[in-house]
Amino acid sequence: MRKAFLSNLKFRQQLVISFTVGIILLTFATSVVLTITADDFLKSQLTRQSRHLADSLGRQARLSLLYESAEDAQGVAEIALQYPDVVGISIRTSAGNILWEQGTPAQLSNPSAPALAKTALVDDGEHHLIFVAPVRTDVENDAMWQGEGSADKDEELLGYLTLVVTKDSLDRIWIRLLKSNLIVSMAVAIPLLVLLLLLTRRLTNPLRSLSA
């Protein structure tokens, strides 16, 4: 059926259709590739910044875990939730007892990994990033107050801080980037298409004259 349709078209019409479809497909493919590349970069930036934030909040939660103070843990949680994209936080003791939990409970149910040596991304889901920061005693700081002998002690695991970061902003940025790339690509493609159509017309006019 498609062959019959194309055979009924004139040579110039076939060229116009081929150029139009090709440029539209090229424009869309280019826009998607550029958007995906930009999205990967933004996601890596979000992951790096969120890991750094979880690590910083873990240090702030050290005192609350040391004294098992829910009030101090709440203060850390309130600071965390002021950051954009942070939707949940959980502070637990090394025994697994919840000292403070606030935000997205379904995501915070993700168990802490006791083998973690440092802050890590433990779940890269469709809508969330989950980071776990092990919280340990500050040996160097304790040594300043307790004497040089305390510096030889090993760091003691106090607990874990779990941070949940949403990807909603990434999704919104992805859509905006795709729209922007499509607009820019079309702005370049339309003049190119017009130029190709003009060249096609100049090339096919002599052929039409000869066939006439």
Side-chain angles (χ1 to χ4, degrees):
M1 183 176 180
R2 285 182 298 177
K3 289 182 179 180
F5 172 75
L6 291 174
S7 63
N8 292 329
L9 296 176
K10 296 180 180 180
F11 178 66
R12 184 187 169 199
Q13 292 174 326
Q14 293 180 12
L15 284 177
V16 169
I17 292 174
S18 299
F19 283 145
T20 304
V21 172
I23 288 180
I24 290 174
L25 291 176
L26 180 61
T27 299
F28 182 75
T30 302
S31 301
V32 170
V33 170
L34 289 174
T35 303
I36 291 175
T37 302
D39 183 66
D40 289 341
F41 173 76
L42 291 173
K43 182 182 176 182
S44 66
Q45 289 293 102
L46 177 64
T47 302
R48 182 181 62 81
Q49 293 172 3
S50 300
R51 183 184 289 109
H52 178 74
L53 176 61
D55 190 54
S56 176
L57 291 170
R59 290 193 294 270
Q60 295 181 45
R62 184 179 292 135
L63 190 63
S64 62
L65 285 167
L66 186 62
Y67 294 102
E68 296 191 1
S69 170
E71 183 178 354
D72 290 340
Q74 180 184 4
V76 175
E78 290 175 351
I79 292 173
L81 292 172
Q82 291 178 2
Y83 285 87
D85 301 323
V86 174
V87 294
I89 182 172
S90 174
I91 301 175
R92 306 172 185 234
T93 65
S94 57
N97 299 321
I98 298 176
L99 197 59
W100 189 264
E101 186 172 86
Q102 190 171 345
T104 313
Q107 300 295 332
L108 293 173
S109 63
N110 185 72
S112 300
L116 285 177
K118 59 182 180 180
T119 303
L121 174 64
V122 297
D123 187 15
D124 185 355
E126 183 179 355
H127 302 293
H128 294 88
L129 297 171
I130 301 180
F131 297 85
V132 174
V135 182
R136 294 181 173 84
T137 53
D138 188 352
V139 175
E140 293 183 1
N141 193 39
D142 292 343
M144 292 176 61
W145 297 97
Q146 300 176 11
E148 296 182 358
S150 60
D152 297 330
K153 296 180 180 179
D154 294 331
E155 292 182 341
E156 179 186 352
L157 180 65
L158 299 175
Y160 296 94
L161 181 141
T162 303
L163 191 70
V164 183
V165 180
T166 181
K167 292 183 179 179
D168 288 348
S169 62
L170 282 180
D171 295 337
R172 291 192 296 269
I173 292 173
W174 193 91
I175 294 173
R176 288 201 298 267
L177 282 173
L178 181 58
K179 289 180 179 178
S180 300
N181 288 331
L182 281 173
I183 291 173
V184 173
S185 298
M186 290 300 294
V188 175
I190 290 175
L192 179 61
L193 179 60
V194 172
L195 179 61
L196 288 173
L197 294 178
L198 291 174
L199 290 174
T200 303
R201 184 175 182 180
R202 292 189 63 181
L203 290 172
T204 55
N205 279 340
L207 296 175
R208 291 175 60 187
S209 299
L210 290 173
S211 61

